[in-house]
Amino acid sequence: MASSKLYSDDVSLAVVVVDTNPLFWATAALPFADFFAHLIHYVNSLLLLNHLNHVVVIAAGLSSCTYIFDSSDASASGAADVAATFAKASRKMDEFIAEDARATSSNGSVADGNAASLLSGALSLALCYIQRVFRSGTRHPQPRILCLQGSPDGPEQYVAVMNSIFSAQRSMVPIDSCIVGTQDSAFLQQASYITGGVYLKPQELNGLFQYLAAVFATDLHSRTFLRLPKTLGVDFRASCFCHKKTIDMGYVCSVCLSIFCKYHKKCSTCGSEFNRVMPDLNSVPDQRQ
Amino acid sequence: MPQVMVVARNFMDMVAALPAAKLDMLYDSAFICEAVLRSLPPLAKKYALQMLYVSAPVAAAAMEEWVLDEYAAKHRVAIDRLLQLRVFVEVRDRRKEVSYKMNQKFQGNMQKYLVDGGSLPREPIPSSVTARLPTLAELESFALEQWECFLLQLINSSQVERGTSFSSSMMRTFQRGLLSSRDGEAPRLTENGFQFLLMETNAQLWYIMREYISSAEERGVDPTELISFLLELSFHTLGEAYSLNTLTDVQRNAIRDLAELGLVKLQQGRKDSWFIPTKLATNLSASLSDSSSNKEGFVVVETNFRMYAYSTSRLHCEILRLFSRVEYQLPNLIVGSITKESLYGAFENGITAEQIISFLQQNAHPRVADKIPAVPENVTDQIRLWETDRNRVDMTLSHLYEDFPSKDMFDQCCDYARDHGCLLWEDAKKMRLIVRVEFHSEMREFLRRLR
């Protein structure tokens, strides 16, 4: 990989997934506008550190996801146009939130207070973007994903989220997690644990930028030298495939590893039957007689 | 012979060497702060960002906790760099414990930059005044033409072609280490000059800027003002016009010199004059760290030592001629061979095998750049072998001593020569020794005193 040495060690691609769930932000301790300002300052600091750094921001709503910022679309002067960056991203975020609200209401589903944002969709968009970067050549920034998550986990997304996590692990893309809500996220704990990222739940949200700058702005090269926050425990619980609920104990299909909370005669995923009767060995001697 | 590497000293070392008061003056500009931040090693960047909103000093011992114990050396390098550039300032309390605090000017500018964004160093001239500006493509070809003309001037300095001549201040910059000029003789490239030609464009640019700034004091110009202006220049918008009236006299003179290199294009209107930055100028701050330029390569090297360069540039042809035999020069293709004879010519000019290999790898054509290796191994190995062939025998003028009357006298002579660092070889059994030729007279004196 002689040619890759031409890129300096710290050139990074940071894909930031932002939870825009209005049901969460309506009651959050930190107003969304302040949170968004912290986010923009963080993005600008990444672009400040290296002119080849690349930042993408993906918004995750209740019913949809979209790219709201891509630094490679910016002008040649990059971070020098901070005010324009803020205005453009802010406008696009407003448009997305309105669009997502329309999509949610047109679904006909009445979202309850505990509705989850579409984390799996956002992770998929992030990984697709990173895959395109990988395919552009051997010389590319080192990619990582940062999830800024506030809403609770949606157990119905368990399979899709786990598939994204394993894809990221396979591509050696760390998933960092920053929890801005009150509850820990089992999904993101597992994501950061499996992919080698950093999981952090800040104590004081008013200092969010300091947490982002101190922990999540570090490039992958420098992380090997540093003491970074360690997760004390990971919630490894799974969701059942039949009811999409988090379970402590369950049944596993031995063929496709699908997880069920109750005994089933047949696997709903791969069709294996579980209730075949074993031959009665006692009948064999009778036949010989 | 010791290898003097042209790139041994980089531009930021020059900035770090400025006195504290002048460095603090530099940090009045947010753009210089940004350029300096980008030049830091990765760990130092992380520290700078982490301290951006911390106003109190942080104890040095506490900062050491940020890194794992086995990487204390990397931590030390990062901290030293931050202190040299005065991004961090050392604070000692009454118990003489060391703390680090961020330079207040640097910190204030970077905070403002992150939150509000910087204003541009100066506003462009409205298009109603400038009428038609060159397109980006025209600007790029102008920059390339000027820059290549400058490099060709170095290569063919004895033949002045195209009637282009550089100003006296720029010629003095050339002569500092790149050209030797003895009285009566035509100027000739030095070893450093040959090495310079194989360097990457951004490295070449900063080398020239560094020499230009070093020679500034001889012209009675404050280097700080030049450094400030050059770093600021890279934050102007590519292709926009900026009035010369906004510049000081020093800056205006510098702009005229930079125009000769292709960093800016000068244009004259009816009442006003303006300069337009080219990509060479806007790349200046980007290349402070050791990042790559994203320039596309043009060279394909085959395992049979044939070389094909897909280039229309005469400069590329002259550079390749430094270490290869150019056989055909077609309108968009240069065909050559890497031969022992052509490489020996390069080695004699002070170019090393490693520099040639690095040049070929960095300029590999996109079709082969992603291959591993981009240059065939048998070619790179052979280049290195030919170099070591040439370095196998090293000749030193010397003097042989033998037929010593006694062992004791032989030992004393050996010790005497060794103490003066002039002993090259000894054979204790046959009592023979060899010393450097310049040591012969001293050795004879020593022998005379022994009798």
Side-chain angles (χ1 to χ4, degrees), chain B residues 1-2 388-398 424 436:
Chain B
M1 114 200 9
T388 56
D389 267 8
R390 198 177 157 268
N391 295 337
R392 180 187 292 157
V393 175
D394 193 11
M395 290 186 294
T396 306
L397 291 178
S398 56
L424 294 173
R436 294 185 191 278

Short mmCIF file of all heavy atoms in Angstrom, two decimals, chain B residues 1-2 388-398 424 436:
data_model
loop_
_atom_site.label_atom_id
_atom_site.label_comp_id
_atom_site.label_asym_id
_atom_site.label_seq_id
_atom_site.Cartn_x
_atom_site.Cartn_y
_atom_site.Cartn_z
N MET B 1 30.03 10.65 1.06
CA MET B 1 29.67 12.07 1.06
C MET B 1 28.32 12.20 1.76
O MET B 1 27.40 11.45 1.49
CB MET B 1 29.65 12.60 -0.37
CG MET B 1 28.32 13.02 -0.88
SD MET B 1 28.09 13.14 -2.65
CE MET B 1 29.49 12.48 -3.41
N PRO B 2 28.18 13.12 2.68
CA PRO B 2 26.91 13.24 3.42
C PRO B 2 25.78 13.73 2.51
O PRO B 2 25.97 14.62 1.70
CB PRO B 2 27.23 14.26 4.51
CG PRO B 2 28.37 15.06 3.98
CD PRO B 2 29.17 14.15 3.11
N THR B 388 24.11 1.16 -5.15
CA THR B 388 25.07 0.57 -4.20
C THR B 388 26.33 0.13 -4.92
O THR B 388 27.41 0.14 -4.34
CB THR B 388 24.44 -0.62 -3.45
OG1 THR B 388 23.97 -1.57 -4.41
CG2 THR B 388 23.27 -0.17 -2.60
N ASP B 389 26.21 -0.28 -6.19
CA ASP B 389 27.40 -0.57 -7.00
C ASP B 389 28.34 0.61 -6.98
O ASP B 389 29.54 0.48 -6.78
CB ASP B 389 27.01 -0.83 -8.46
CG ASP B 389 26.79 -2.29 -8.74
OD1 ASP B 389 26.80 -3.08 -7.77
OD2 ASP B 389 26.62 -2.64 -9.91
N ARG B 390 27.75 1.77 -7.21
CA ARG B 390 28.55 2.98 -7.31
C ARG B 390 29.15 3.34 -5.97
O ARG B 390 30.22 3.93 -5.88
CB ARG B 390 27.66 4.11 -7.82
CG ARG B 390 28.40 5.27 -8.38
CD ARG B 390 27.41 6.27 -8.91
NE ARG B 390 28.00 7.59 -8.97
CZ ARG B 390 27.93 8.48 -8.01
NH1 ARG B 390 27.27 8.18 -6.91
NH2 ARG B 390 28.50 9.65 -8.13
N ASN B 391 28.45 2.97 -4.90
CA ASN B 391 28.93 3.30 -3.57
C ASN B 391 29.80 2.22 -2.97
O ASN B 391 30.19 2.30 -1.81
CB ASN B 391 27.74 3.56 -2.64
CG ASN B 391 26.96 4.77 -3.07
OD1 ASN B 391 27.49 5.64 -3.75
ND2 ASN B 391 25.70 4.82 -2.70
N ARG B 392 30.12 1.17 -3.74
CA ARG B 392 30.87 0.05 -3.18
C ARG B 392 32.28 0.48 -2.80
O ARG B 392 32.81 0.10 -1.77
CB ARG B 392 30.92 -1.09 -4.20
CG ARG B 392 31.67 -2.30 -3.70
CD ARG B 392 31.84 -3.31 -4.81
NE ARG B 392 30.55 -3.90 -5.19
CZ ARG B 392 30.33 -4.44 -6.39
NH1 ARG B 392 31.28 -4.44 -7.31
NH2 ARG B 392 29.17 -4.98 -6.66
N VAL B 393 32.91 1.24 -3.68
CA VAL B 393 34.29 1.66 -3.45
C VAL B 393 34.30 3.14 -3.11
O VAL B 393 33.76 3.96 -3.84
CB VAL B 393 35.16 1.39 -4.69
CG1 VAL B 393 36.56 1.95 -4.47
CG2 VAL B 393 35.18 -0.09 -5.00
N ASP B 394 34.90 3.45 -1.98
CA ASP B 394 35.02 4.83 -1.53
C ASP B 394 36.50 5.15 -1.43
O ASP B 394 37.23 4.48 -0.71
CB ASP B 394 34.33 4.99 -0.17
CG ASP B 394 34.13 6.44 0.19
OD1 ASP B 394 34.32 7.30 -0.69
OD2 ASP B 394 33.79 6.71 1.36
N MET B 395 36.97 6.13 -2.17
CA MET B 395 38.41 6.42 -2.22
C MET B 395 38.77 7.53 -1.25
O MET B 395 38.13 8.57 -1.22
CB MET B 395 38.82 6.82 -3.64
CG MET B 395 38.77 5.65 -4.60
SD MET B 395 39.42 6.10 -6.21
CE MET B 395 38.23 7.29 -6.75
N THR B 396 39.81 7.27 -0.47
CA THR B 396 40.34 8.27 0.46
C THR B 396 41.85 8.32 0.29
O THR B 396 42.52 7.28 0.34
CB THR B 396 40.00 7.88 1.91
OG1 THR B 396 38.59 7.68 2.01
CG2 THR B 396 40.41 8.97 2.88
N LEU B 397 42.38 9.49 0.09
CA LEU B 397 43.84 9.63 0.00
C LEU B 397 44.45 9.29 1.34
O LEU B 397 43.98 9.77 2.38
CB LEU B 397 44.21 11.05 -0.42
CG LEU B 397 43.85 11.43 -1.86
CD1 LEU B 397 44.22 12.88 -2.15
CD2 LEU B 397 44.52 10.49 -2.85
N SER B 398 45.50 8.47 1.32
CA SER B 398 46.03 7.97 2.59
C SER B 398 47.53 7.71 2.47
O SER B 398 48.12 7.86 1.39
CB SER B 398 45.32 6.66 2.96
OG SER B 398 45.45 5.73 1.91
N LEU B 424 42.87 4.86 9.53
CA LEU B 424 41.94 4.20 8.60
C LEU B 424 42.00 2.69 8.72
O LEU B 424 41.01 2.00 8.54
CB LEU B 424 42.27 4.62 7.17
CG LEU B 424 42.04 6.09 6.83
CD1 LEU B 424 42.56 6.39 5.43
CD2 LEU B 424 40.57 6.44 6.94
N ARG B 436 45.11 8.99 7.12
CA ARG B 436 44.72 9.96 6.10
C ARG B 436 45.93 10.76 5.66
O ARG B 436 46.83 11.04 6.46
CB ARG B 436 43.66 10.92 6.65
CG ARG B 436 42.35 10.25 6.95
CD ARG B 436 41.31 11.27 7.38
NE ARG B 436 40.14 10.62 7.93
CZ ARG B 436 39.16 10.12 7.19
NH1 ARG B 436 39.22 10.23 5.87
NH2 ARG B 436 38.14 9.51 7.76
#
